[in-house]
């Protein structure tokens, strides 16, 4: 019988970085990059199945990631000013992102700005992109939380629970007055698990309710915001207080409110406008230059047709386009279904 878990050890400090020739590779950075790669690959698949150009996500991801990193660092620095602005402080530590301290709320704001700009240029519906990216971002965030474990950061109140996290008393965030050997809530692990469950919940709702037009984005903001509010409330590290709340709790609350607003608007728009056929503003799927448009039109998934239900009018005749919808492949993607019936690119 395996031994009962009595504590979660933190990795040895020397695991935080390793030398590769003249370069110093930080484990935290590698984990963040891994999360980004997973998100990009999965988002590409989801966008392509909705009639998007293969790998158009690369155009969106590059500025989104760069602005996301800037936003993440700025949010962290300005919500933890005492860590960076004090007599004798090294100003360049503000830019030392490899040491940890990158706020996901700031990353989302910066990344959304970068993605929106590219979507405008490429004629892509931003909300369609956001719907495709929502579960992949949540998975990337789950992966990224492992970086906090390697950096010995993001832990909560002292606890006697068998999964308490071991933290060295020399850690700058170690609360003064506590004896060595005190265990702490592994809030990085709580958020990792919350995010993984959220991925499953979003995909299930997408499958069951045919969420489009911003609803997946809304679900992501609400789910992540609620979990983040609870987790941030038990962290022990210092944070600025805004309206009586820790800055990150306040930011998570804003995420929930924005998510509710996005959902309401998306539901209203869905009643007033037809379902989207593709991710593009033109409502036309991507067609390679060497492909006959007529042939391509019959092979690219039609999201509107896939989401429609064959009905008959009161006279018993089929509704217009029913015969076409019957032959259309299912546009739902990662939430399930028969992958052999889905077309991801034009041949």
């Amino acid at each position: 019988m395996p031994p009962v878990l009595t504590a979660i050890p933190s990795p040895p400090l020397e695991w935080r970085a390793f030398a590769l020739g003249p370069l110093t590779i930080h484990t935290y950075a590698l984990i963040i990059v891994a999360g980004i790669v997973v998100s990009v690959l999965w988002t590409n698949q989801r966008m392509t199945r909705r009639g998007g150009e293969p790998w158009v996500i690369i155009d969106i991801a590059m500025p989104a990631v760069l602005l996301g990193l800037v936003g993440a660092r700025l949010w962290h620095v300005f919500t933890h000013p005492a860590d960076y602005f004090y007599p004798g402080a090294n100003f360049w530590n503000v830019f030392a992102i490899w040491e940890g301290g990158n706020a996901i709320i700031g990353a989302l704001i910066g990344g959304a700005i970068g993605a929106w700009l590219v979507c405008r240029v490429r004629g892509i519906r931003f909300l369609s992109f956001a719907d495709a990216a929502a579960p992949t971002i949540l998975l990337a965030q789950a992966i990224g939380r492992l970086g906090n474990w390697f950096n010995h950061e993001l832990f909560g109140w002292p606890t006697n629970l068998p999964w308490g996290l071991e933290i060295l008393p020399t850690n700058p965030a170690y609360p003064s007055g506590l004896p060595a050997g005190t265990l702490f809530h592994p809030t990085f692990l709580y958020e990792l698990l919350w995010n993984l469950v959220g991925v499953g919940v979003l995909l299930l709702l997408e499958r069951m309710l045919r969420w489009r037009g911003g609803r997946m984005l809304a679900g992501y903001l609400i789910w992540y915001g609620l979990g983040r509010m609870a987790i941030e409330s038990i962290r022990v590290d210092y944070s600025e207080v805004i309206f009586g709340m820790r800055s990150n709790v306040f930011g998570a609350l804003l995420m929930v409110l924005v998510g509710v607003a996005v959902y309401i608007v998306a539901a209203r728009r869905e009643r007033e406008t037809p379902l989207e056929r593709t991710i593009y503003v033109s409502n036309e799927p991507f067609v390679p230059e060497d492909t006959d448009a007529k042939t391509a039109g019959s092979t690219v998934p039609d999201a509107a047709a896939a989401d429609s239900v064959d009905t008959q009018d009161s006279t018993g005749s089929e509704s217009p386009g029913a015969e076409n919808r019957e032959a259309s492949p299912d546009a739902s993607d990662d939430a399930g279904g028969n992958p052999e019936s889905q077309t991801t690119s034009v041949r």
Side-chain angles (χ1 to χ4, degrees):
M1 185 174 182
V4 177
L5 182 66
T6 57
I8 299 176
S10 290
L13 288 174
E14 54 267 25
W15 289 10
R16 296 174 62 177
F18 59 92
L20 186 63
L23 301 176
T24 299
I25 308 298
H26 294 267
T27 306
Y28 181 90
L30 288 179
I31 292 173
I32 295 298
V33 170
I36 292 172
V37 170
V38 169
S39 177
V40 168
L41 292 175
W42 191 10
T43 303
N44 174 66
Q45 182 188 53
R46 287 170 58 82
M47 293 179 67
T48 302
R49 287 181 173 178
R50 298 177 187 190
E53 178 184 357
W55 300 113
V56 70
I57 181 59
I58 299 297
D59 294 343
I60 300 173
M62 292 179 65
V65 169
L66 291 176
L67 289 181
L69 288 174
V70 173
R73 190 60 176 177
L74 288 177
W75 184 281
H76 173 77
V77 169
F78 289 120
T79 55
H80 297 77
D83 293 344
Y84 301 95
F85 306 107
Y86 56 87
N90 183 357
F91 173 75
W92 296 108
N93 285 341
V94 169
F95 305 99
I97 60 174
W98 53 86
E99 294 181 357
N102 296 287
I104 186 62
I105 296 175
L108 292 173
I109 295 173
I113 293 173
W116 179 81
L117 290 173
V118 177
C119 286
R120 291 279 294 179
V121 173
R122 296 299 302 268
I124 296 172
R125 293 187 179 96
F126 174 73
L127 290 180
S128 296
F129 156 75
D131 281 347
T136 79
I137 294 174
L138 205 53
L139 178 58
Q141 289 174 265
I143 296 172
R145 282 309 173 200
L146 290 173
N148 300 123
W149 182 51
F150 280 92
N151 270 9
H152 295 207
E153 60 187 3
L154 196 58
F155 53 91
W157 296 338
T159 181
N160 292 322
L161 293 171
W163 55 81
L165 179 66
E166 296 177 354
I167 294 293
L168 295 175
T170 54
N171 190 302
Y174 199 96
S176 60
L178 292 180
T182 300
L183 301 180
F184 300 88
H185 280 284
T187 49
F188 82 91
L189 180 60
Y190 297 162
E191 185 173 327
L192 186 156
L193 296 175
W194 177 260
N195 291 347
L196 290 179
V197 173
V199 172
V201 170
L202 287 181
L203 293 179
L204 181 62
L205 291 173
E206 181 182 49
R207 171 76 173 175
M208 295 176 60
L209 304 178
R210 302 293 187 184
W211 274 5
R212 291 289 192 272
R215 292 198 191 190
M216 282 290 281
L217 171 63
Y220 162 80
L221 292 172
I222 294 171
W223 179 271
Y224 183 72
L226 289 175
R228 190 62 186 267
M229 288 175 64
I231 294 169
E232 285 289 335
S233 298
I234 65 173
R235 284 177 60 175
V236 298
D237 54 326
Y238 167 79
S239 182
E240 288 290 300
V241 175
I242 301 176
F243 299 120
M245 294 177 283
R246 292 170 61 94
S247 56
N248 285 334
V249 174
F250 177 75
L253 175 61
L254 289 181
M255 290 180 65
V256 173
L257 296 177
V258 171
V260 171
V262 170
Y263 187 89
I264 293 173
V265 172
R268 182 177 301 172
R269 290 180 60 185
E270 186 177 82
R271 291 193 298 267
E272 298 173 353
T273 60
L275 289 174
E276 62 189 46
R277 294 182 63 243
T278 74
I279 63 172
Y280 294 105
V281 175
S282 65
N283 221 20
E284 294 298 327
F286 167 73
V287 178
E289 294 180 358
D290 59 348
T291 301
D292 182 79
K294 182 177 180 180
T295 302
S298 64
T299 59
V300 175
D302 186 332
D307 286 344
S308 300
V309 178
D310 290 341
T311 59
Q312 293 185 342
D313 59 24
S314 58
T315 62
S317 60
E318 291 186 345
S319 59
E323 67 278 10
N324 293 331
R325 289 198 305 270
E326 186 176 14
S328 296
D330 190 350
S332 64
D333 46 15
D334 304 282
N338 183 4
E340 294 182 357
S341 67
Q342 298 169 348
T343 304
T344 57
S345 60
V346 180
R347 290 180 173 79

